Amino acid sequence: MIGLIDCNNFFVSCERVFDPSLAGQPVIVLSNNDGCVVARSNEAKALGIKMGIPVFQIRELIETNHVAVFSSNYSLYGDMSHRVMTTIDRLVPEIEIYSIDEAFINFEGFQMSSLPDYAQQLTKTIRKNTGIPVCLGIAPTKTLAKIANRYAKKYPGYKNVCIIDSEEKRVKALKCFPIEDVWGIGRQYKQKLNYYGIETAWDFIQKNESWIRKQMSVTGVRTWLELKGISCIAIEQNPSGKQNICTSRSFGEEISDFPVLLESVAYFTASCARKLRGQKSVAGIITVFLYTNRFKKEVPQYYPSITVHLPVPSANPGELIKYARMSLKQIYRPGYKYKKAGVIVSDITSASNVQCSLFDATDRHKQAKILSVIDTVNRKYGTDTLRSCAQPPNCFRKWSLKSQYISRRYTTNINDIIVLNCK
DNA sequence: TCTGGGGTCCTAGGACCC
DNA sequence: TCTGGGGTCCTAGGACCC
Protein backbone atom coordinates (compact mmCIF):
# COMPACT_ATOMS: atom_id res chain seq x y z
CA MET A 1 0.00 0.00 0.00
CA ILE A 2 1.02 3.56 -0.72
CA GLY A 3 0.12 6.58 1.38
CA LEU A 4 -0.13 10.22 0.38
CA ILE A 5 0.13 12.87 3.03
CA ASP A 6 -1.03 16.30 1.92
CA CYS A 7 -0.99 19.35 4.18
CA ASN A 8 -4.33 21.09 4.38
CA ASN A 9 -4.31 24.55 2.76
CA PHE A 10 -0.59 24.51 3.45
CA PHE A 11 0.46 28.17 3.15
CA VAL A 12 -2.59 29.30 5.11
CA SER A 13 -1.89 26.69 7.77
CA CYS A 14 1.68 27.98 8.12
CA GLU A 15 0.41 31.50 8.75
CA ARG A 16 -2.11 30.17 11.27
CA VAL A 17 0.55 28.38 13.30
CA PHE A 18 2.06 31.75 14.19
CA ASP A 19 -1.19 33.67 14.47
CA PRO A 20 -3.84 31.47 16.07
CA SER A 21 -6.41 34.26 15.85
CA LEU A 22 -6.69 33.35 12.16
CA ALA A 23 -8.37 30.04 13.04
CA GLY A 24 -11.89 29.86 11.68
CA GLN A 25 -11.35 33.07 9.65
CA PRO A 26 -11.20 33.37 5.88
CA VAL A 27 -7.50 33.61 4.96
CA ILE A 28 -5.75 33.77 1.60
CA VAL A 29 -2.09 33.78 0.54
CA LEU A 30 -1.01 35.58 -2.63
CA SER A 31 1.57 34.71 -5.28
CA ASN A 32 4.75 36.71 -5.75
CA ASN A 33 4.10 40.39 -6.41
CA ASP A 34 0.79 40.01 -4.57
CA GLY A 35 -0.69 38.98 -7.90
CA CYS A 36 -2.93 35.92 -7.64
CA VAL A 37 -4.50 33.81 -4.91
CA VAL A 38 -2.42 30.66 -4.39
CA ALA A 39 -3.78 29.33 -1.10
CA ARG A 40 -7.16 29.60 0.60
CA SER A 41 -8.54 28.54 3.95
CA ASN A 42 -11.78 26.53 3.85
CA GLU A 43 -13.65 29.68 4.87
CA ALA A 44 -12.15 31.55 1.92
CA LYS A 45 -13.07 28.68 -0.42
CA ALA A 46 -16.62 28.85 0.92
CA LEU A 47 -16.75 32.52 -0.09
CA GLY A 48 -16.17 31.39 -3.66
CA ILE A 49 -12.59 32.64 -3.95
CA LYS A 50 -11.09 30.60 -6.77
CA MET A 51 -7.53 29.31 -6.98
CA GLY A 52 -5.34 31.52 -9.16
CA ILE A 53 -7.70 34.46 -9.39
CA PRO A 54 -6.00 37.90 -9.59
CA VAL A 55 -6.47 39.61 -6.27
CA PHE A 56 -7.66 42.91 -7.76
CA GLN A 57 -10.75 41.11 -9.05
CA ILE A 58 -11.89 40.20 -5.55
CA ARG A 59 -10.97 43.36 -3.61
CA GLU A 60 -14.57 44.00 -2.64
CA LEU A 61 -15.18 40.44 -1.52
CA ILE A 62 -12.05 40.64 0.64
CA GLU A 63 -13.12 43.85 2.34
CA THR A 64 -16.75 43.00 2.99
CA ASN A 65 -15.84 39.59 4.43
CA HIS A 66 -12.72 40.72 6.30
CA VAL A 67 -10.56 38.16 4.56
CA ALA A 68 -7.03 38.06 6.01
CA VAL A 69 -4.52 38.52 3.18
CA PHE A 70 -0.87 37.43 3.17
CA SER A 71 1.95 37.86 0.67
CA SER A 72 3.77 34.59 0.15
CA ASN A 73 6.57 33.96 2.62
CA TYR A 74 8.63 31.15 1.16
CA SER A 75 11.28 31.19 3.87
CA LEU A 76 8.56 30.34 6.36
CA TYR A 77 6.76 27.76 4.20
CA GLY A 78 10.01 26.06 3.21
CA ASP A 79 11.05 25.68 6.81
CA MET A 80 7.63 24.45 7.94
CA SER A 81 7.64 21.95 5.09
CA HIS A 82 11.00 20.68 6.29
CA ARG A 83 9.57 20.17 9.77
CA VAL A 84 6.60 18.20 8.44
CA MET A 85 8.80 16.02 6.21
CA THR A 86 11.28 15.34 9.01
CA THR A 87 8.45 14.26 11.30
CA ILE A 88 7.10 11.85 8.68
CA ASP A 89 10.55 10.53 7.86
CA ARG A 90 11.14 9.56 11.47
CA LEU A 91 7.91 7.57 11.62
CA VAL A 92 7.76 5.63 8.36
CA PRO A 93 10.16 3.27 6.60
CA GLU A 94 10.20 5.01 3.22
CA ILE A 95 9.12 8.48 2.13
CA GLU A 96 9.19 10.35 -1.16
CA ILE A 97 8.91 14.12 -0.78
CA TYR A 98 6.74 14.99 -3.75
CA SER A 99 6.23 18.73 -3.31
CA ILE A 100 6.42 21.43 -0.67
CA ASP A 101 3.26 20.08 0.99
CA GLU A 102 2.99 16.44 -0.11
CA ALA A 103 4.80 13.19 0.53
CA PHE A 104 4.22 9.62 -0.57
CA ILE A 105 4.82 6.85 1.93
CA ASN A 106 5.64 3.25 1.14
CA PHE A 107 3.61 1.00 3.45
CA GLU A 108 4.90 -2.18 1.85
CA GLY A 109 5.10 -5.00 4.34
CA PHE A 110 2.81 -3.29 6.86
CA GLN A 111 0.21 -5.39 8.56
CA MET A 112 -3.04 -4.30 6.91
CA SER A 113 -5.01 -4.60 10.11
CA SER A 114 -2.75 -2.18 11.96
CA LEU A 115 -2.77 0.43 9.18
CA PRO A 116 -5.85 2.46 10.23
CA ASP A 117 -4.58 3.05 13.77
CA TYR A 118 -1.09 3.74 12.59
CA ALA A 119 -2.32 6.24 9.99
CA GLN A 120 -4.41 8.10 12.57
CA GLN A 121 -1.45 8.28 14.88
CA LEU A 122 0.76 9.62 12.09
CA THR A 123 -1.55 12.53 11.22
CA LYS A 124 -1.98 13.39 14.89
CA THR A 125 1.77 13.41 15.49
CA ILE A 126 2.41 15.72 12.54
CA ARG A 127 -0.25 18.10 13.81
CA LYS A 128 1.15 17.99 17.33
CA ASN A 129 4.80 18.43 16.34
CA THR A 130 4.41 21.09 13.67
CA GLY A 131 0.98 22.65 14.07
CA ILE A 132 0.14 21.77 10.47
CA PRO A 133 -3.07 19.79 9.82
CA VAL A 134 -2.70 17.02 7.23
CA CYS A 135 -4.78 14.35 5.52
CA LEU A 136 -3.63 10.87 4.58
CA GLY A 137 -4.92 8.73 1.74
CA ILE A 138 -3.85 5.09 1.47
CA ALA A 139 -4.37 2.77 -1.51
CA PRO A 140 -2.56 0.23 -3.67
CA THR A 141 -1.23 2.85 -6.17
CA LYS A 142 -0.12 6.47 -6.10
CA THR A 143 -3.02 7.63 -8.25
CA LEU A 144 -5.55 5.86 -6.00
CA ALA A 145 -3.80 7.22 -2.89
CA LYS A 146 -4.32 10.70 -4.33
CA ILE A 147 -8.02 9.95 -4.66
CA ALA A 148 -8.20 8.54 -1.13
CA ASN A 149 -6.53 11.70 0.13
CA ARG A 150 -9.14 13.83 -1.62
CA TYR A 151 -11.92 11.92 0.16
CA ALA A 152 -10.13 12.27 3.50
CA LYS A 153 -10.07 16.03 2.96
CA LYS A 154 -13.63 16.32 1.78
CA TYR A 155 -15.47 14.31 4.40
CA PRO A 156 -14.78 15.08 8.09
CA GLY A 157 -16.19 11.65 8.95
CA TYR A 158 -12.94 10.07 7.79
CA LYS A 159 -11.05 11.94 10.53
CA ASN A 160 -8.21 12.85 8.13
CA VAL A 161 -7.51 9.29 6.94
CA CYS A 162 -9.13 7.41 4.06
CA ILE A 163 -8.03 3.93 3.04
CA ILE A 164 -9.00 2.18 -0.18
CA ASP A 165 -8.22 -1.42 0.71
CA SER A 166 -10.89 -3.46 -1.04
CA GLU A 167 -12.27 -3.87 -4.52
CA GLU A 168 -15.63 -2.64 -3.29
CA LYS A 169 -14.19 0.60 -1.90
CA ARG A 170 -12.15 1.19 -5.05
CA VAL A 171 -15.17 0.86 -7.32
CA LYS A 172 -17.24 3.11 -5.12
CA ALA A 173 -14.49 5.74 -4.94
CA LEU A 174 -14.00 5.78 -8.71
CA LYS A 175 -17.70 6.02 -9.49
CA CYS A 176 -18.03 9.23 -7.49
CA PHE A 177 -14.78 10.80 -8.65
CA PRO A 178 -14.82 13.48 -11.40
CA ILE A 179 -12.34 12.65 -14.16
CA GLU A 180 -10.72 16.10 -14.05
CA ASP A 181 -9.71 15.58 -10.42
CA VAL A 182 -7.67 12.48 -11.27
CA TRP A 183 -3.89 12.96 -10.95
CA GLY A 184 -2.59 13.31 -14.51
CA ILE A 185 -5.82 14.59 -16.07
CA GLY A 186 -5.63 18.29 -16.77
CA ARG A 187 -7.80 20.82 -18.58
CA GLN A 188 -7.15 19.57 -22.10
CA TYR A 189 -7.77 15.92 -21.35
CA LYS A 190 -10.90 16.75 -19.36
CA GLN A 191 -12.33 18.45 -22.44
CA LYS A 192 -11.45 15.58 -24.69
CA LEU A 193 -12.69 12.88 -22.30
CA ASN A 194 -15.93 14.73 -21.59
CA TYR A 195 -16.46 14.90 -25.35
CA TYR A 196 -16.36 11.10 -25.42
CA GLY A 197 -18.83 10.90 -22.56
CA ILE A 198 -16.30 10.21 -19.81
CA GLU A 199 -17.24 12.08 -16.66
CA THR A 200 -15.85 9.97 -13.82
CA ALA A 201 -12.75 7.93 -13.10
CA TRP A 202 -14.96 4.85 -13.39
CA ASP A 203 -16.07 5.80 -16.93
CA PHE A 204 -12.40 6.22 -17.81
CA ILE A 205 -11.33 2.71 -16.83
CA GLN A 206 -14.17 1.19 -18.87
CA LYS A 207 -12.29 2.20 -22.05
CA ASN A 208 -9.78 -0.24 -23.52
CA GLU A 209 -6.04 0.23 -23.40
CA SER A 210 -5.46 0.89 -27.09
CA TRP A 211 -8.07 3.66 -27.13
CA ILE A 212 -6.42 5.31 -24.13
CA ARG A 213 -2.99 5.00 -25.71
CA LYS A 214 -4.19 6.55 -28.94
CA GLN A 215 -5.82 9.50 -27.19
CA MET A 216 -3.36 10.10 -24.36
CA SER A 217 -0.12 8.18 -25.06
CA VAL A 218 1.65 6.08 -22.46
CA THR A 219 1.11 8.56 -19.65
CA GLY A 220 -2.64 8.07 -20.07
CA VAL A 221 -2.19 4.29 -20.01
CA ARG A 222 -0.25 4.56 -16.77
CA THR A 223 -3.06 6.54 -15.14
CA TRP A 224 -5.57 4.00 -16.49
CA LEU A 225 -3.63 1.07 -15.00
CA GLU A 226 -3.07 2.83 -11.69
CA LEU A 227 -6.80 3.46 -11.36
CA LYS A 228 -7.37 -0.25 -11.94
CA GLY A 229 -5.08 -0.93 -8.99
CA ILE A 230 -1.94 -1.87 -10.95
CA SER A 231 0.96 0.20 -9.68
CA CYS A 232 3.04 1.83 -12.47
CA ILE A 233 4.52 4.85 -10.73
CA ALA A 234 7.09 3.80 -8.17
CA ILE A 235 8.08 5.57 -4.99
CA GLU A 236 11.32 7.43 -5.60
CA GLN A 237 13.35 7.70 -2.50
CA ASN A 238 16.45 9.44 -3.79
CA PRO A 239 15.29 11.94 -6.33
CA SER A 240 18.09 12.93 -8.68
CA GLY A 241 18.97 16.58 -9.10
CA LYS A 242 16.98 18.90 -11.31
CA GLN A 243 17.54 18.72 -15.06
CA ASN A 244 16.59 22.35 -15.55
CA ILE A 245 16.79 25.21 -13.11
CA CYS A 246 14.95 28.47 -13.59
CA THR A 247 14.78 31.74 -11.68
CA SER A 248 12.39 34.34 -13.00
CA ARG A 249 10.30 37.18 -11.62
CA SER A 250 7.64 39.59 -12.65
CA PHE A 251 8.70 43.10 -11.72
CA GLY A 252 6.78 45.34 -9.34
CA GLU A 253 6.75 47.92 -12.11
CA GLU A 254 7.61 47.73 -15.77
CA ILE A 255 11.23 48.32 -16.74
CA SER A 256 12.73 49.74 -19.92
CA ASP A 257 16.29 50.56 -18.88
CA PHE A 258 18.99 48.14 -19.85
CA PRO A 259 21.12 48.59 -16.68
CA VAL A 260 18.16 47.82 -14.45
CA LEU A 261 17.25 44.73 -16.45
CA LEU A 262 20.86 43.66 -16.27
CA GLU A 263 20.85 43.92 -12.49
CA SER A 264 17.80 41.70 -12.27
CA VAL A 265 19.24 39.16 -14.70
CA ALA A 266 22.47 39.10 -12.67
CA TYR A 267 20.44 38.25 -9.56
CA PHE A 268 18.50 35.52 -11.35
CA THR A 269 21.71 34.05 -12.72
CA ALA A 270 23.36 34.07 -9.30
CA SER A 271 20.27 32.33 -7.92
CA CYS A 272 20.47 29.63 -10.61
CA ALA A 273 24.18 29.19 -9.87
CA ARG A 274 23.43 28.80 -6.15
CA LYS A 275 20.75 26.18 -6.86
CA LEU A 276 23.21 24.35 -9.12
CA ARG A 277 25.86 24.24 -6.39
CA GLY A 278 23.17 23.15 -3.93
CA GLN A 279 22.72 19.94 -5.93
CA LYS A 280 26.46 19.68 -6.69
CA SER A 281 26.08 20.16 -10.40
CA VAL A 282 27.09 22.43 -13.24
CA ALA A 283 25.21 23.69 -16.31
CA GLY A 284 26.37 23.74 -19.91
CA ILE A 285 23.58 25.92 -21.29
CA ILE A 286 22.11 29.22 -20.17
CA THR A 287 18.92 30.83 -21.47
CA VAL A 288 17.87 34.42 -20.80
CA PHE A 289 14.35 35.60 -21.56
CA LEU A 290 12.28 38.77 -21.31
CA TYR A 291 8.52 39.36 -21.35
CA THR A 292 6.55 42.52 -21.88
CA ASN A 293 3.18 42.69 -20.08
CA ARG A 294 1.01 40.16 -21.89
CA PHE A 295 -2.14 41.56 -20.31
CA LYS A 296 -1.68 44.96 -21.95
CA LYS A 297 -2.84 44.09 -25.43
CA GLU A 298 -2.64 47.70 -26.59
CA VAL A 299 1.12 48.13 -26.07
CA PRO A 300 3.77 46.49 -28.30
CA GLN A 301 4.64 42.97 -27.15
CA TYR A 302 8.06 41.35 -27.26
CA TYR A 303 8.99 37.93 -25.82
CA PRO A 304 12.61 37.33 -26.78
CA SER A 305 14.83 34.56 -25.48
CA ILE A 306 18.33 33.43 -26.28
CA THR A 307 20.26 30.28 -25.44
CA VAL A 308 24.04 30.09 -25.12
CA HIS A 309 26.26 27.03 -24.84
CA LEU A 310 29.13 27.44 -22.38
CA PRO A 311 32.59 26.31 -23.42
CA VAL A 312 32.94 24.54 -20.07
CA PRO A 313 29.94 23.70 -17.83
CA SER A 314 29.91 25.90 -14.74
CA ALA A 315 28.11 26.84 -11.53
CA ASN A 316 30.19 29.95 -10.99
CA PRO A 317 27.98 33.03 -10.72
CA GLY A 318 30.68 35.34 -12.10
CA GLU A 319 31.17 33.22 -15.17
CA LEU A 320 27.46 32.59 -15.75
CA ILE A 321 26.67 36.29 -15.31
CA LYS A 322 29.20 37.08 -18.04
CA TYR A 323 27.23 34.95 -20.50
CA ALA A 324 23.90 36.21 -19.20
CA ARG A 325 25.02 39.78 -19.79
CA MET A 326 26.11 38.98 -23.36
CA SER A 327 22.79 37.26 -23.96
CA LEU A 328 20.72 40.10 -22.58
CA LYS A 329 22.62 42.57 -24.79
CA GLN A 330 21.60 40.58 -27.82
CA ILE A 331 17.90 40.36 -27.10
CA TYR A 332 17.34 43.74 -25.43
CA ARG A 333 15.47 46.28 -27.56
CA PRO A 334 14.90 49.78 -26.23
CA GLY A 335 11.40 51.17 -26.25
CA TYR A 336 9.62 48.15 -24.78
CA LYS A 337 8.31 48.01 -21.24
CA TYR A 338 9.44 44.73 -19.75
CA LYS A 339 7.34 43.10 -17.03
CA LYS A 340 9.28 39.94 -16.44
CA ALA A 341 12.72 38.45 -16.96
CA GLY A 342 14.30 35.13 -16.17
CA VAL A 343 17.23 32.79 -16.50
CA ILE A 344 17.18 29.04 -17.15
CA VAL A 345 20.21 26.81 -16.85
CA SER A 346 20.14 23.39 -18.48
CA ASP A 347 22.35 20.59 -19.79
CA ILE A 348 23.07 19.94 -16.13
CA THR A 349 25.73 17.43 -15.14
CA SER A 350 27.52 16.45 -11.98
CA ALA A 351 30.18 18.91 -10.81
CA SER A 352 32.47 15.97 -10.09
CA ASN A 353 32.97 14.97 -13.73
CA VAL A 354 33.09 18.08 -15.85
CA GLN A 355 34.23 17.79 -19.43
CA CYS A 356 37.12 20.24 -19.72
CA SER A 357 38.02 22.32 -22.72
CA LEU A 358 41.41 22.17 -24.37
CA PHE A 359 41.49 25.95 -24.58
CA ASP A 360 40.16 26.70 -21.11
CA ALA A 361 42.37 29.26 -19.38
CA THR A 362 40.54 29.22 -16.03
CA ASP A 363 42.03 27.52 -12.99
CA ARG A 364 38.88 25.62 -12.07
CA HIS A 365 40.36 24.01 -9.03
CA LYS A 366 41.12 27.41 -7.53
CA GLN A 367 37.73 28.70 -8.58
CA ALA A 368 35.98 25.85 -6.77
CA LYS A 369 37.78 26.79 -3.55
CA ILE A 370 36.65 30.42 -3.83
CA LEU A 371 33.07 29.32 -4.46
CA SER A 372 33.10 27.09 -1.44
CA VAL A 373 34.25 30.00 0.73
CA ILE A 374 31.53 32.22 -0.70
CA ASP A 375 28.91 29.58 0.03
CA THR A 376 30.13 29.13 3.58
CA VAL A 377 30.00 32.87 4.27
CA ASN A 378 26.56 33.23 2.70
CA ARG A 379 25.15 30.28 4.60
CA LYS A 380 26.30 31.89 7.83
CA TYR A 381 25.50 35.54 7.17
CA GLY A 382 22.67 35.30 4.66
CA THR A 383 22.20 34.89 0.92
CA ASP A 384 24.16 37.38 -1.21
CA THR A 385 26.29 38.70 1.65
CA LEU A 386 29.13 38.00 -0.77
CA ARG A 387 28.00 38.53 -4.34
CA SER A 388 28.97 39.73 -7.78
CA CYS A 389 29.39 43.50 -8.39
CA ALA A 390 26.68 43.11 -11.00
CA GLN A 391 24.25 42.65 -8.11
CA PRO A 392 23.90 45.95 -6.26
CA PRO A 393 22.47 45.98 -2.71
CA ASN A 394 18.77 45.27 -2.35
CA CYS A 395 17.92 48.81 -1.30
CA PHE A 396 18.90 50.08 -4.76
CA ARG A 397 16.70 47.62 -6.57
CA LYS A 398 14.20 49.24 -8.86
CA TRP A 399 12.72 45.93 -9.88
CA SER A 400 11.70 44.58 -6.49
CA LEU A 401 8.62 42.51 -5.91
CA LYS A 402 5.54 43.82 -4.27
CA SER A 403 4.84 42.02 -1.03
CA GLN A 404 2.68 44.28 0.98
CA TYR A 405 1.23 41.71 3.35
CA ILE A 406 4.21 39.57 4.26
CA SER A 407 4.42 37.90 7.66
CA ARG A 408 7.65 37.48 9.61
CA ARG A 409 10.17 34.72 9.03
CA TYR A 410 9.23 33.28 12.40
CA THR A 411 11.41 30.21 12.21
CA THR A 412 14.46 31.22 10.19
CA ASN A 413 15.33 34.84 10.99
CA ILE A 414 16.81 35.65 14.37
CA ASN A 415 15.11 39.05 14.73
CA ASP A 416 11.73 37.57 13.89
CA ILE A 417 12.22 34.73 16.35
CA ILE A 418 12.81 37.31 19.06
CA VAL A 419 9.60 39.09 18.06
CA LEU A 420 7.72 35.82 18.24
CA ASN A 421 9.02 35.05 21.70
CA CYS A 422 7.99 38.50 22.96
CA LYS A 423 4.48 37.87 21.64
C1' DT B 1 -4.01 50.48 -11.62
C1' DC B 2 -3.64 45.42 -10.47
C1' DT B 3 -2.75 39.00 -13.53
C1' DG B 4 3.17 33.75 -10.02
C1' DG B 5 7.05 30.67 -10.26
C1' DG B 6 8.77 26.73 -10.47
C1' DG B 7 9.22 21.76 -12.58
C1' DT B 8 8.48 16.85 -15.44
C1' DC B 9 7.62 13.66 -19.30
C1' DC B 10 6.25 12.39 -24.03
C1' DT B 11 5.86 12.74 -29.08
C1' DA B 12 6.50 14.17 -33.75
C1' DG B 13 9.35 15.78 -37.06
C1' DG B 14 13.67 17.25 -38.96
C1' DA B 15 18.51 16.55 -39.68
C1' DC B 16 21.81 13.55 -39.86
C1' DC B 17 24.37 8.74 -40.26
C1' DC B 18 25.45 4.21 -43.03
C1' DT C 1 7.29 7.49 -64.82
C1' DC C 2 9.88 5.02 -61.38
C1' DT C 3 13.52 6.68 -55.91
C1' DG C 4 15.31 1.68 -49.69
C1' DG C 5 15.75 0.53 -45.15
C1' DG C 6 17.59 0.93 -41.11
C1' DG C 7 19.19 3.83 -37.31
C1' DT C 8 20.35 8.15 -33.79
C1' DC C 9 20.03 12.65 -31.87
C1' DC C 10 17.96 17.02 -31.11
C1' DT C 11 14.29 20.35 -30.61
C1' DA C 12 9.81 22.39 -30.21
C1' DG C 13 5.54 21.95 -28.57
C1' DG C 14 2.04 20.02 -25.80
C1' DA C 15 0.40 17.82 -21.96
C1' DC C 16 0.72 17.48 -17.02
C1' DC C 17 2.14 18.53 -11.78
C1' DC C 18 2.61 21.60 -7.34
Side-chain angles (χ1 to χ4, degrees), chain A residues 14 38 69 96 104-105 163 195 219 224 226 267 282 284 324 358 370 375 398-399:
Chain A
C14 291
V38 295
V69 180
E96 173 191 339
F104 287 105
I105 297 165
I163 305 179
Y195 173 81
T219 42
W224 181 80
E226 286 245 323
Y267 265 98
V282 288
L358 192 57
I370 297 171
D375 284 334
K398 294 192 185 110
W399 47 276

Side-chain angles (χ1 to χ4, degrees), chain A residues 2-285:
Chain A
I2 292 173
L4 174 69
I5 291 197
D6 191 319
C7 302
N8 303 352
N9 313 330
F10 182 56
F11 296 171
V12 167
S13 296
C14 291
E15 300 293 348
R16 279 179 169 167
V17 168
F18 298 95
D19 185 352
S21 73
L22 296 170
Q25 303 298 314
V27 182
I28 58 175
V29 176
L30 306 182
S31 63
N32 267 342
N33 251 332
D34 295 342
C36 301
V37 174
V38 295
R40 305 155 296 157
S41 70
N42 291 345
E43 299 77 13
K45 288 176 190 171
L47 289 172
I49 298 176
K50 295 268 178 281
M51 186 69 170
I53 193 169
V55 71
F56 71 86
Q57 289 179 11
I58 54 164
R59 279 278 172 226
E60 222 181 286
L61 194 67
I62 289 172
E63 272 160 39
T64 51
N65 294 284
H66 302 105
V67 178
V69 180
F70 289 88
S71 303
S72 36
N73 183 345
Y74 288 102
S75 316
L76 180 66
Y77 311 149
D79 189 60
M80 293 304 286
S81 170
H82 182 249
R83 293 179 182 200
V84 170
M85 299 307 171
T86 312
T87 305
I88 300 171
D89 193 34
R90 284 197 197 118
L91 297 170
V92 305
E94 196 181 329
I95 171 181
E96 173 191 339
I97 298 171
Y98 177 67
S99 74
I100 194 162
D101 72 333
E102 282 176 64
F104 287 105
I105 297 165
N106 193 351
F107 282 118
E108 205 181 328
F110 257 68
Q111 192 106 65
M112 287 288 258
S113 57
S114 65
L115 213 45
D117 282 346
Y118 186 85
Q120 286 291 346
Q121 204 51 49
L122 190 56
T123 59
K124 280 181 192 153
T125 308
I126 296 166
R127 177 74 192 249
K128 193 182 85 189
N129 287 12
T130 66
I132 301 290
V134 303
C135 282
L136 172 52
I138 301 178
T141 71
K142 279 186 169 179
T143 307
L144 287 170
K146 278 264 189 187
I147 290 178
N149 188 288
R150 186 66 76 97
Y151 280 112
K153 280 229 174 83
K154 193 168 174 190
Y155 299 105
Y158 283 114
K159 297 204 164 104
N160 305 324
V161 177
C162 171
I163 305 179
I164 298 175
D165 57 358
S166 71
E167 187 58 14
E168 193 195 339
K169 287 183 194 167
R170 185 179 70 87
V171 170
K172 192 179 165 202
L174 294 187
K175 282 188 172 166
C176 305
F177 206 77
I179 187 64
E180 64 268 29
D181 291 344
V182 171
W183 191 41
I185 308 292
R187 250 199 359 250
Q188 303 299 322
Y189 284 143
K190 170 196 154 63
Q191 286 255 323
K192 182 183 245 183
L193 294 171
N194 284 169
Y195 173 81
Y196 288 107
I198 297 165
E199 300 286 339
T200 67
W202 178 254
D203 298 339
F204 182 73
I205 62 168
Q206 303 314 305
K207 290 285 173 185
N208 65 45
E209 182 175 339
S210 65
W211 188 86
I212 301 282
R213 185 179 293 273
K214 192 167 156 238
Q215 302 295 331
M216 304 171 66
S217 85
V218 295
T219 42
V221 174
R222 277 204 278 266
T223 300
W224 181 80
L225 286 166
E226 286 245 323
L227 290 173
K228 283 167 165 273
I230 301 160
S231 179
C232 309
I233 309 171
I235 302 248
E236 282 176 49
Q237 226 180 343
N238 301 310
S240 43
K242 304 260 183 274
Q243 299 169 35
N244 299 284
I245 290 173
C246 174
T247 302
S248 73
R249 293 286 179 277
S250 293
F251 304 128
E253 52 192 86
E254 286 151 3
I255 292 173
S256 299
D257 283 357
F258 181 81
V260 184
L261 278 177
L262 182 59
E263 270 175 30
S264 73
V265 166
Y267 265 98
F268 303 152
T269 309
S271 157
C272 286
R274 192 181 324 115
K275 294 177 192 172
L276 278 171
R277 296 197 300 282
Q279 62 172 48
K280 294 187 171 24
S281 50
V282 288
I285 293 178

Side-chain angles (χ1 to χ4, degrees), chain A residues 257-403:
Chain A
D257 283 357
F258 181 81
V260 184
L261 278 177
L262 182 59
E263 270 175 30
S264 73
V265 166
Y267 265 98
F268 303 152
T269 309
S271 157
C272 286
R274 192 181 324 115
K275 294 177 192 172
L276 278 171
R277 296 197 300 282
Q279 62 172 48
K280 294 187 171 24
S281 50
V282 288
I285 293 178
I286 179 167
T287 302
V288 176
F289 62 88
L290 295 172
Y291 284 155
T292 46
N293 190 338
R294 67 195 163 105
F295 295 103
K296 290 192 178 166
K297 302 266 186 269
E298 68 285 2
V299 303
Q301 299 288 312
Y302 181 43
Y303 308 130
S305 90
I306 186 169
T307 297
V308 175
H309 290 246
L310 275 61
V312 179
S314 172
N316 182 332
E319 194 174 10
L320 291 169
I321 286 171
K322 185 177 83 185
Y323 290 101
R325 179 200 301 264
M326 282 165 34
S327 305
L328 185 66
K329 252 183 202 160
Q330 286 194 45
I331 56 172
Y332 173 78
R333 299 281 177 277
Y336 290 101
K337 291 181 168 176
Y338 299 98
K339 179 64 180 168
K340 178 172 177 169
V343 173
I344 306 168
V345 291
S346 48
D347 187 23
I348 293 176
T349 49
S350 165
S352 60
N353 51 31
V354 173
Q355 174 65 56
C356 300
S357 160
L358 192 57
F359 307 106
D360 186 18
T362 316
D363 182 343
R364 301 209 169 250
H365 187 64
K366 194 167 159 187
Q367 207 184 58
K369 278 189 186 166
I370 297 171
L371 283 180
S372 126
V373 171
I374 291 176
D375 284 334
T376 308
V377 170
N378 286 347
R379 258 197 302 275
K380 189 162 179 187
Y381 297 101
T383 306
D384 290 331
T385 303
L386 280 178
R387 60 180 182 272
S388 160
C389 314
Q391 305 166 249
N394 291 358
C395 51
F396 294 145
R397 277 196 209 172
K398 294 192 185 110
W399 47 276
S400 287
L401 300 173
K402 275 186 261 174
S403 62

